Amino acid sequence: MTESRVLLVDDEEELRHSSAQALELAGFRVDTFASAEHALEFIGFSFSGVVISDIRMPGMDGMTFLQRIREIDAEVPVILVTGHGDVQLAVRAMREGAYDFVEKPFTAQALAGTIRRALEWRGLVLENRRLRAVAGKRDDIEQRLPGRSQAMVDLRYKIRAIGASDADTLIIGETGVGKEVVARALHDLSSRANSPFIAINCAALPETLIESELFGHEAGAFPGALRPRYGKFEHGRGGTILLDEIGSMPFDLQAKFLRVLQERVITRLGSNEIVSLDVRFVATSKVDLESEVAAGRFRADLLYRLNVATLRVPPLAQRRSDIPLLFMQLVRESAARYGRDDVEISPALASEIAERDWPGNVRELRNAAERFVLGLEAEQDDVTSTRPNGARLADKVAAFEKSLIASALAAHGGALKPVYESLGISRKTLYEKMQKFGLDKRLLAADAPHGDGT
């Protein structure tokens, strides 16, 4: 059969080598590792193989290894090797995303069979991702989350990969970065796209009614409960439930929600009947939940159960090269919304916007774009002319282009590769434009640390 890649991780050298030999005879390409840390370097979104790991190892054990792999790609199949006394631990690992487990002593034939099934499943996952990428007209993620910086390219790639799965996801990011936009993108890319997307703001729910709002209640469950009522969890069956700012969920309710995550069942207030749930949970947080765990305000077991997959949405401060293009897109959207003609943005304004701090991130930038379109910004003088002559427009476009390239060169210390990659142009095109505009990467790199580059 065609060779397929298997990463085999075991700290016992004799068992590692004997297992590798047996699997190679079965037709697999096997790479062996004595530690999980080294094996992690070979795992990414394009990894087309299977990981086999002992569950008990010094350093990073199999359970931690599983979690680290799932942070990289939640759909890499991981097969855990357990001793007789670790079966319960292996079952828990299955619930946390392991593909399967085998118990020692195992036969090479049984392990090979499990590997073949896992490889077939992984092949289907990767093919599904490729088909989604090819069908670009159905994937508008770049329109929703624009940006040419590497941080945004990586984020969109992960969204496309995780969205196709059914994995619960934790989205981390500052206020206004677009966490709900990411959550909706995950929903729309999933098989649940035609089912409900229920957004719940955990910070806005009144503590006295939060259980009723989430779990529902029967008639007479509490004063004022005159008739039965579905909760939001039950209303979202078949779809996706967004728990916005989950760090604000009351501590005593977190234990009940943990049961929902683990068992996918709820019980309405005033009832003993168990209701099954078929939902995908996506949670967002603007605060570091690990710090909240350390402070005793958030349950550690809930955090570990929530972040099957984790997405971090970068703030504008970490992708300044995206700000001018993003602002122009927001201006176009605002102009269309308010029925205005296209508004021209001067190079000076674009440069000033890119250098300004935006603590409110995309939300604040969108508000600025709307004010600009409505004529409420001070920097309007002649930049709102909608019918400039061709030469003047060309001059302004050239000046803006020069400013954008100069800023990128300074930001990357004169290194050309990250500049042309972030701007989405070829190396040759970058050279030609630098020559045209008289840009010297050495001078810009020298200026960059002082903060006074052009």
Side-chain angles (χ1 to χ4, degrees):
M1 63 177 285
T2 303
E3 282 191 340
S4 300
R5 192 172 192 187
V6 176
L7 304 187
L8 177 62
V9 185
D10 199 310
D11 62 307
E12 296 183 28
E13 184 175 1
E14 185 177 340
L15 180 60
R16 186 169 68 247
H17 287 312
S18 61
S19 299
Q21 288 176 354
L23 292 176
E24 285 170 351
L25 289 173
F28 301 105
R29 172 191 168 187
V30 183
D31 297 312
T32 61
F33 303 89
S35 69
E37 288 87 348
H38 189 204
L40 274 175
E41 299 174 5
F42 296 84
I43 298 171
F45 274 91
S46 60
F47 175 68
S48 59
V50 173
V51 178
I52 303 171
S53 173
D54 194 359
I55 204 166
R56 293 193 181 277
M57 297 182 292
M60 184 185 297
D61 62 18
M63 295 295 289
T64 306
F65 186 35
L66 170 65
Q67 291 301 323
R68 293 287 300 276
I69 292 173
R70 290 183 64 77
E71 289 173 5
I72 299 170
D73 184 349
E75 294 183 295
V76 170
V78 178
I79 301 169
L80 293 175
V81 179
T82 72
H84 179 69
D86 294 326
V87 173
Q88 291 300 319
L89 186 59
V91 171
R92 180 164 71 86
M94 292 280 289
R95 290 178 179 172
E96 294 181 6
Y99 178 83
D100 206 344
F101 72 92
V102 292
E103 188 177 355
K104 298 176 184 177
F106 54 84
T107 64
Q109 292 83 355
L111 181 57
T114 303
I115 292 172
R116 289 190 184 95
R117 291 191 296 273
L119 285 169
E120 184 177 346
W121 178 77
R122 180 62 175 173
L124 291 173
V125 168
L126 294 177
E127 180 63 20
N128 185 40
R129 292 179 184 175
R130 283 191 289 269
L131 291 173
R132 285 180 179 273
V134 170
K137 61 183 181 181
R138 296 181 57 84
D139 184 358
D140 62 346
I141 304 304
E142 190 161 359
Q143 179 67 23
R144 301 192 207 186
L145 295 160
R148 294 176 180 172
S149 63
Q150 193 60 47
M152 291 306 292
V153 172
D154 291 345
L155 176 62
R156 290 194 297 266
Y157 190 79
K158 291 178 181 179
I159 288 171
R160 292 184 179 105
I162 296 171
S165 73
D166 213 23
D168 294 335
T169 305
L170 179 62
I171 304 171
I172 306 293
E174 296 178 6
T175 297
V177 294
K179 296 188 291 294
E180 185 168 342
V181 176
V182 172
R184 288 185 179 275
L186 290 172
H187 173 73
D188 292 341
L189 286 171
S190 73
S191 59
R192 302 176 179 271
N194 295 322
S195 299
F197 177 88
I198 308 296
I200 303 169
N201 187 339
C202 296
L205 287 172
E207 281 198 44
T208 54
L209 296 176
I210 191 168
E211 286 194 54
S212 173
E213 286 289 322
L214 298 183
F215 299 106
H217 62 256
E218 298 290 345
F222 52 84
L226 302 180
R227 58 181 65 87
R229 183 178 183 274
Y230 277 179
K232 291 185 181 294
F233 286 168
E234 206 168 345
H235 181 61
R237 282 186 296 184
T240 301
I241 292 177
L242 168 63
L243 295 166
D244 196 18
E245 297 306 334
I246 189 150
S248 302
M249 181 178 285
F251 194 82
D252 57 346
L253 184 63
Q254 292 175 23
K256 297 179 181 179
F257 178 56
L258 177 62
R259 178 174 179 264
V260 176
L261 274 176
Q262 290 175 330
E263 303 178 21
R264 289 305 199 266
V265 297
I266 60 167
T267 304
R268 297 182 197 139
L269 292 178
S271 172
N272 293 320
E273 182 181 351
I274 294 176
V275 180
S276 297
L277 281 185
D278 172 25
V279 297
R280 178 187 192 176
F281 286 104
V282 176
T284 72
S285 178
K286 64 184 176 185
V287 298
D288 180 6
L289 292 182
E290 291 186 356
S291 299
E292 293 295 288
V293 169
R297 292 186 291 266
F298 200 81
R299 293 180 62 102
D301 48 2
L302 177 56
L303 172 60
Y304 298 139
R305 187 62 186 83
L306 258 181
N307 64 352
V308 173
T310 301
L311 293 173
R312 297 186 180 274
V313 187
L316 289 182
Q318 293 180 8
R319 55 185 189 108
R320 287 189 178 276
S321 60
D322 288 338
I323 294 176
L325 293 176
L326 179 56
F327 183 73
M328 286 191 289
Q329 176 174 316
L330 294 172
V331 166
R332 287 195 299 269
E333 292 174 357
S334 297
R337 185 162 55 251
Y338 292 117
R340 302 294 180 91
D341 292 331
D342 286 343
V343 181
E344 183 185 336
I345 301 171
S346 71
L349 179 59
S351 178
E352 189 273 331
I353 284 171
E355 293 171 1
R356 190 190 305 177
D357 290 330
W358 298 96
N361 292 291
V362 179
R363 184 180 299 138
E364 184 182 359
L365 191 65
R366 178 179 288 108
N367 292 340
E370 293 195 357
R371 290 195 301 271
F372 181 77
V373 169
L374 293 172
L376 302 178
E377 284 286 340
E379 288 250 8
Q380 284 276 327
D381 4 338
D382 65 341
V383 299
T384 57
S385 172
T386 57
R387 293 180 179 83
N389 60 57
R392 184 171 172 228
L393 177 60
D395 290 342
K396 291 191 173 186
V397 170
F400 171 67
E401 197 172 29
K402 177 180 179 181
S403 173
L404 192 63
I405 294 173
S407 297
L409 283 165
H412 294 290
L416 297 184
K417 184 176 180 181
V419 171
Y420 64 72
E421 287 182 345
S422 66
L423 295 177
I425 59 178
S426 68
R427 187 183 187 92
K428 179 183 177 184
T429 300
L430 178 59
Y431 275 130
E432 290 174 349
K433 290 186 179 296
M434 288 174 63
Q435 187 175 12
K436 173 185 174 182
F437 298 134
L439 295 174
D440 187 331
K441 66 174 183 176
R442 291 170 297 179
L443 295 177
L444 290 164
D447 267 355
H450 304 290
D452 54 0
T454 56

